[in-house]
Amino acid sequence: MKVLMLNGSPHTHGTTYTSLEQIGKTLKDEGIDYEIFQIGTNPIRDCLGCGQCNENGCTFSDDTVNAFIHKAKEADGFVFGTPVYYAHPSGRILSFLDRVFYSSSSYFSFKPGASIAVARRGGTTASFDVLNKYFGISQMPVVGSTYWNNAHGTNGEEVLKDEEGMQIMRNIGHNMAWMLKCIEAGKNAGVKLPATERGARTSFIR
């Protein structure tokens, strides 16, 4: 089993990456592999709602969105990490995930997801709440922890000093591992995925 993580910060080894690493180390201890996918510093376009999605994901292939989608097909669980910008997730991660889920949400259904937000001080719970919306609309079980999935610090070294924050990250790792193992046990016992109705798209404007 493997968990795919998204570092929504342009900093490759900053506070968000360091927090994700804490989750990853715990997953490793639980016998589960992980990969941290770097969103990077190159431009990321918004979703245009053009409806030209294809078997590769988004019709636009000039960034790393489709590379992430390709990895998501094989992943068993996900963690999305964001720094806090103006009490909100980074615009980059939102543009990235809008296109990922608009074009390829089926690759995420019934796979557990967790989100984390890292800040110097404020805005973490609002950012955490925004990222959780992707899970709810995509039939993804949400992995929580022993407090909000947040940590605090101004750099990678400082965030490690947030003892409760790092404890939260490790507990996310344990909870993710437990949920993945439960899902695997259910599959082995013949438990089928729930039936899903499609097609009704009601508009309340008359």
Side-chain angles (χ1 to χ4, degrees):
M1 290 181 282
K2 183 174 182 178
V3 173
L4 180 61
M5 304 189 192
L6 177 63
N7 179 12
S9 169
H11 303 294
T12 54
H13 291 89
T15 56
T16 306
Y17 175 88
T18 303
S19 299
L20 291 172
E21 271 278 87
Q22 288 292 306
I23 299 172
K25 290 176 181 177
T26 304
L27 289 169
K28 275 286 192 183
D29 291 342
E30 293 272 4
I32 294 172
D33 198 9
Y34 76 97
E35 176 184 353
I36 298 178
F37 189 99
Q38 302 285 358
I39 203 167
T41 57
N42 292 329
I44 298 172
R45 68 173 75 235
D46 293 336
C47 180
L48 303 177
C50 65
Q52 300 301 306
C53 314
N54 54 54
E55 64 277 4
N56 295 319
C58 181
T59 189
F60 298 105
S61 57
D62 54 353
D63 54 30
T64 56
V65 164
N66 289 340
F68 182 83
I69 290 171
H70 179 75
K71 292 178 180 291
K73 292 180 186 180
E74 307 302 324
D76 300 291
F78 301 91
V79 182
F80 303 148
T82 185
V84 175
Y85 295 165
Y86 296 95
H88 206 257
S90 72
R92 302 172 59 76
I93 195 172
L94 295 183
S95 294
F96 191 96
L97 290 176
D98 280 357
R99 288 169 55 211
V100 165
F101 277 85
Y102 189 82
S103 66
S104 306
S105 62
S106 62
Y107 299 143
F108 296 84
S109 298
F110 307 112
K111 297 178 180 180
S115 62
I116 69 167
V118 188
R120 181 190 67 82
R121 190 168 179 86
T124 51
T125 53
S127 300
F128 170 64
D129 181 63
V130 171
L131 291 187
N132 282 345
K133 299 296 196 301
Y134 292 99
F135 307 141
I137 201 172
S138 302
Q139 297 180 290
M140 298 175 67
V142 179
V143 178
S145 188
T146 44
Y147 197 70
W148 310 122
N149 296 1
N150 305 327
H152 295 84
T154 56
N155 55 55
E157 293 76 20
E158 190 172 285
V159 77
L160 288 172
K161 298 177 183 178
D162 179 3
E163 294 183 9
E164 185 176 10
M166 295 302 99
Q167 175 180 271
I168 289 165
M169 298 303 134
R170 291 190 295 272
N171 286 332
I172 293 170
H174 289 304
N175 293 343
M176 173 69 78
W178 174 80
M179 191 174 291
L180 288 173
K181 292 173 184 178
C182 287
I183 292 171
E184 185 68 17
K187 289 179 181 177
N188 293 337
V191 178
K192 297 181 179 179
L193 294 176
T196 300
E197 295 186 24
R198 303 283 185 189
R201 296 175 63 86
T202 305
S203 172
F204 294 97
I205 300 173
R206 296 288 185 260

